[in-house]
Amino acid sequence: MKIKVLALVLMGLLTSVGFSQSKEQTFDHAFAHVVYFWLKNPDSKADRAKFEASLQKFLDNSQYAKTKFIGKPPKAIRAVVDDSFTYSLILSFDSAEAQAAYQVEAPHLVFINECEDLWEKVIVYDSEGL
């Protein structure tokens, strides 16, 4: 009996893991858009909360961005790692044309309007897949 219960529990766990993985978006290798933000006041909890909320709202409403990753730098332990930025954003797109459309879509423009006063520097790296 205990083995049957354990088997059912394990099946439930495997099924839930399978469902959560199926909801994840896979990285599209056609076009990658990587953005680094340096906030003017990186220690301000209010600025960070405003930035994160606006960025998440934008990403939730983007028609074009496929993979959507928001990150913060871990403490660098190697000299080649740059941890000077406040946030990173990694997006993937079906094509360069989809990335160009994303640049002028309303949610992206709203995000810029809401947050551009928060950052002092932004660097963007775009890459097309091989």
Side-chain angles (χ1 to χ4, degrees):
M1 183 68 171
K2 288 181 183 180
I3 292 176
K4 286 182 182 180
V5 171
L6 182 59
L8 287 173
V9 170
L10 287 174
M11 285 177 62
L13 288 173
L14 290 174
T15 302
S16 67
V17 168
F19 282 124
S20 67
Q21 287 179 348
S22 67
K23 291 181 183 179
E24 291 181 19
Q25 296 176 329
T26 58
F27 187 82
D28 191 314
H29 292 83
F31 197 97
H33 180 68
V34 181
V35 185
Y36 292 94
F37 298 91
W38 284 261
L39 296 188
K40 291 177 186 174
N41 300 303
D43 296 328
S44 168
K45 289 182 181 180
D47 286 3
R48 282 181 172 265
K50 178 181 175 183
F51 181 87
E52 290 176 18
S54 182
L55 183 56
Q56 191 61 59
K57 178 178 68 174
F58 152 51
L59 294 178
D60 288 344
N61 292 290
S62 175
Q63 297 177 48
Y64 302 100
K66 292 182 74 177
T67 306
K68 302 168 185 177
F69 173 83
I70 303 169
K72 299 184 299 185
K75 181 162 176 52
I77 57 172
R78 299 180 307 144
V80 297
V81 176
D82 178 359
D83 64 353
S84 66
F85 61 95
T86 313
Y87 289 99
S88 64
L89 174 65
I90 303 172
L91 305 175
S92 68
F93 297 91
D94 289 330
S95 64
E97 294 77 21
Q99 194 274 342
Y102 141 93
Q103 289 297 327
V104 295
E105 73 175 330
H108 184 234
L109 298 177
V110 168
F111 164 69
I112 292 169
N113 186 54
E114 288 178 351
C115 293
E116 65 186 340
D117 63 318
L118 298 177
W119 61 66
E120 65 180 348
K121 178 179 172 181
V122 177
I123 293 181
V124 177
Y125 296 99
D126 287 338
S127 301
E128 290 183 309
L130 298 177

